[in-house]
Structure formats: structure tokens, C-alpha cells
Amino acid sequence: MYAFLISTGVVALAEMGDKTQLLALLLAARYQRPLPIILAILVATIFNHALAGLLGTMLAQWLSPTMLGWILVVSFLAMAIWMLIPDSIDDEVSTAPKYGVFLTTLLLFFLAEMGDKTQIATVALAAEYQAFVSVVLGTTLGMMLANVPAVFLGNKFAGALPTQWVHRIVAGVFLLLAFAAASRLLWGE
């Protein structure tokens, strides 16, 4: 349950102001079809984060606990720094979707999430907690908590959030995770 809750919270906060949330805002403003957009975001996120969770779980099995621990410390520190770098997206969305709203959203969202902060966080969280299902469900729920309101509220929602402060808070959470992982390595649990 702990892995699920941490994964949900970290990803929900990390997604605030992220390029995929901006993409959700853009898609909602362009197509004004919230249900297929939300369903496509859900499917893309499940698939993307399942792959990331699988990678994290495999890394935990392949690497020694000490090696994995230090990789996680560095990953969490890198995520903290990365959270402080603002995201933007190019105008990737055409005015008339060639493949329909659902498939267009699915493809754009899946591709935008590749190598994104939340995908990297999913890899690290799955490796840290070695709880594939809990982490993937948690990170998926976190993505949906951040993106569903963005779809419904459109561009108005983006201007109302203090994303810089949200990013700073998430950076602090990643710093705490790095400190906790380093503490376990240096002083044991």
C-alpha cells in the first residue's frame, strides 16, 4: 500500500505543469471531446508505465542491492533537479485529427511520455519498492489525477496552478527519497 500511495502522490505532483499535462490541455482545447481524450490518456499511461515498471523490476533483479541503491540515489537526485526545469510542448496537435480523437491522443500521449519525468520516476519507484502492480497502479492514478481535471478545465486550469511551487515541492520529495535511499545504504535500515 505504501508503494501505491507514494507512487500516486509523487507522479500526481510531478505531472503538474509537465509537457504531458500541457498536451492534455491542448488536446482538450482543440478537440473538445473529454471522454475519448481521458480514455486514451488512461490506456497510454497504463501501457507506458507498465513498461517502465517492468524495467524497474528487472533492474532490481539484475543489479546487486548496493549497486541498485546507488543508482536509485542518483536517479532520485536527478529527478529532483529535473523537476526544477520547466516543460513546454511544441504545437504537436493538428487541427483535424487524422486518426480520430482517441487514437491521436493515445499516440501523442504515449510518445510524449517516453523518457518523461513520470516514466523515469516509475522505473525508479518500481526498482525501489519492487512492487510492480502497486507502483504501476499508483503512477497511473497519479497521472489521471493530474490530467483529468486538465482535460475538463482546459486552458483555464493551467493558468490557475502555481506550477513552479508544485515543481519545487516535488523536487523536495525526490530529495527526501534520495536521502532515505542513501541512508539505507550507508547506515542500514
Side-chain angles (χ1 to χ4, degrees):
M1 185 63 141
Y2 183 74
F4 172 79
L5 294 174
I6 290 291
S7 298
T8 301
V10 164
V11 168
L13 290 172
E15 183 65 6
M16 295 297 178
D18 191 72
K19 72 177 179 263
T20 47
Q21 187 182 46
L22 297 173
L23 180 59
L25 286 166
L26 182 60
L27 289 164
R30 287 275 172 93
Y31 302 134
Q32 299 176 350
R33 305 254 331 266
L35 188 57
I37 292 170
I38 290 168
L39 290 175
I41 290 170
L42 176 63
V43 171
T45 301
I46 289 170
F47 187 60
N48 194 294
H49 287 205
L51 291 173
L54 182 63
L55 177 60
T57 302
M58 289 174 15
L59 285 175
Q61 294 172 357
W62 292 340
L63 301 173
S64 72
T66 302
M67 173 74 80
L68 179 63
W70 286 113
I71 290 171
L72 289 172
V73 169
V74 171
S75 296
F76 287 140
L77 288 172
M79 288 299 300
I81 293 165
W82 195 2
M83 283 307 306
L84 299 175
I85 300 169
D87 276 329
S88 64
I89 59 171
D90 297 323
D91 191 15
E92 301 171 353
V93 182
S94 66
T95 54
K98 184 176 180 180
Y99 302 107
V101 174
F102 178 84
L103 191 56
T104 298
T105 302
L106 179 78
L107 293 172
L108 286 174
F109 211 85
F110 180 81
L111 292 173
E113 189 62 14
M114 295 301 287
D116 194 55
K117 289 175 232 175
T118 52
Q119 186 190 44
I120 304 298
T122 302
V123 171
L125 290 164
E128 169 75 12
Y129 295 111
Q130 297 181 31
F132 173 80
V133 173
S134 294
V135 168
V136 171
L137 289 176
T139 58
T140 300
L141 178 60
M143 290 289 286
M144 299 311 290
L145 288 172
N147 287 302
V148 169
V151 170
F152 282 118
L153 299 176
N155 292 324
K156 188 176 181 181
F157 182 73
L161 286 176
T163 56
Q164 186 178 33
W165 280 103
V166 173
H167 283 206
R168 288 177 182 165
I169 291 167
V170 175
V173 170
F174 277 115
L175 281 174
L176 289 174
L177 289 170
F179 177 75
S183 294
R184 279 194 305 273
L185 288 168
L186 296 172
W187 299 292
E189 293 192 54

